[in-house]
Amino acid sequence: MSDVIPARFHLVDERFAGCDGDFVVERLHTGARKAEGPVYFAAGRYLVWSDIPNERLLRWDETTGAVGVFRHSSGYANGNTVDRQGRLVTCEQGNRRVTRTEHDGSITVLADRYDGKLLNSPNDVVVRADGSVWFTDPSYGISDDYEGNRAESEIGACHVYRIDPRTGRVRIVADDFNRPNGLAFSPDERRLYIVDTRQEPSHIRVFDVTADGGLTGGDVFAECDFGRFDGIRLDEAGRVWAAAWDGLHCFDPDGTLLGKLLLPEAVANLAFGGPRRNHLFIAASTSLYALRVTFNGARYPG
């Protein structure tokens, strides 16, 4: 059985007034060491998320409320997403690779090297409508044995990459980050928002996506006023929802902080789910939280 806490929407700008939802936030599960990477599968009505140090993926069943282990020995999985074919795409920090789980349960390695060198520890991932896979590659999974396996970086820096859907070629699309982390496309996929967690202050940058799959721009979009940013997602109105140490921060497309959803644990990531994309799932430290909201997650091109 889940327990509940009061839902605390904190208004900063009047434009946040329409962002509301349930009076309570459900705690669907607790007991993780570091919850991350929630992703919702509409066809099966379940959610998968990562428990990084325990090296497992967990699964919550919407029809029964039951939580079980989706995968042991997950390779210290961190960020997850679902592609347009309904397949799970995962950043495996410990295995230093990005993988796809096929419909038959087999695992395909999408990327584990750049220019012949092992990746650091892929962190978060998104898939564009053209099938390209975009991921961040900081060093958290190789800096110690807590979230991965201690090792030296072969690349020597932390970049953002794109995997070509036709050739499988791995290409650097941004090389001026300290620790790139969460990333998300605008609803029309013309812009890409990327978190740089270890900048001071931690911030989100925004890029324009070029016709050839590159990035231009990269101005700072928003700065964190409490702790550090981690995962991000966008809603249908183009607002950016960013995980931070005090909850979720909501930003207008112009970069203005509109308000916050405050939570008792530091938030790592979030996902929109349900048939209307208005069931908000939040991975925060030891727990998975959820509530129905009055706004909808972004609907991306098919």
Side-chain angles (χ1 to χ4, degrees):
M1 293 291 291
S2 63
D3 57 12
V4 298
I5 59 172
R8 300 169 58 202
F9 287 92
H10 174 64
L11 185 145
V12 176
D13 186 286
E14 288 300 325
R15 289 172 288 179
F16 192 63
C19 295
D20 204 345
D22 291 337
F23 291 109
V24 296
V25 178
E26 293 182 273
R27 185 185 282 113
L28 300 177
H29 178 75
T30 193
R33 275 200 164 89
K34 187 173 183 181
E36 250 284 10
V39 59
Y40 180 81
F41 290 83
R45 295 184 62 190
Y46 63 88
L47 182 107
V48 171
W49 78 102
S50 301
D51 182 1
I52 304 175
N54 285 326
E55 203 187 349
R56 61 183 183 173
L57 289 167
L58 298 173
R59 178 184 184 274
W60 171 77
D61 189 319
E62 184 175 23
T63 64
T64 65
V67 172
V69 175
F70 179 82
R71 180 179 297 157
H72 283 293
S73 302
S74 67
Y76 294 94
N78 190 332
N80 300 283
T81 193
V82 60
D83 69 9
R84 298 306 197 278
Q85 287 72 47
R87 298 170 296 188
L88 175 67
V89 179
T90 299
C91 290
E92 299 181 13
Q93 288 191 158
N95 292 332
R96 303 171 75 167
R97 66 187 191 178
V98 179
T99 63
R100 183 178 65 220
T101 301
E102 307 297 346
H103 292 303
D104 64 1
S106 61
I107 295 176
T108 300
V109 177
L110 301 179
D112 61 0
R113 296 173 185 270
Y114 170 73
D115 196 25
K117 301 174 182 178
L118 283 174
L119 298 171
N120 296 325
S121 57
N123 182 281
D124 208 352
V125 59
V126 289
V127 179
R128 203 163 179 246
D130 62 2
S132 57
V133 178
W134 305 62
F135 67 95
T136 55
D137 187 42
S139 56
Y140 301 123
I142 59 173
S143 60
D144 54 53
D145 293 318
Y146 183 71
E147 291 188 40
N149 302 299
R150 185 194 300 271
E152 294 297 320
S153 172
E154 295 188 10
I155 295 173
C158 302
H159 301 317
V160 184
Y161 296 90
R162 176 186 184 269
I163 306 172
D164 187 275
R166 293 171 297 279
T167 66
R169 175 175 173 257
V170 180
R171 166 188 175 190
I172 295 174
V173 290
D175 62 1
D176 59 345
F177 278 76
N178 185 346
R179 294 293 186 274
N181 200 316
L183 72 171
F185 285 107
S186 60
D188 61 8
E189 296 188 332
R190 294 179 180 177
R191 288 175 294 171
L192 181 64
Y193 298 85
I194 309 174
V195 170
D196 201 338
T197 298
R198 289 295 176 89
Q199 287 290 1
E200 300 296 342
S202 177
H203 59 231
I204 303 168
R205 296 169 63 188
V206 59
F207 296 82
D208 293 319
V209 182
T210 62
D212 65 350
L215 297 177
T216 60
D219 292 341
V220 172
F221 169 77
E223 295 180 341
C224 189
D225 66 5
F226 197 99
R228 298 184 185 278
F229 288 140
D230 200 328
I232 54 175
R233 293 291 182 267
L234 273 75
D235 65 22
E236 204 168 50
R239 293 176 293 238
V240 177
W241 292 81
W245 290 4
D246 57 345
L248 294 180
H249 297 192
C250 177
F251 295 92
D252 189 80
D254 68 9
T256 302
L257 176 64
L258 301 179
K260 301 181 180 183
L261 172 59
L262 301 174
L263 290 163
E265 298 185 81
V267 176
N269 219 322
L270 65 145
F272 290 96
R276 300 183 181 181
R277 309 177 315 285
N278 67 337
H279 201 169
L280 180 57
F281 297 95
I282 304 161
S285 299
T286 66
S287 305
L288 176 71
Y289 296 91
L291 74 162
R292 298 289 178 91
V293 291
T294 58
F295 46 94
N296 308 78
R299 182 189 292 277
Y300 289 101

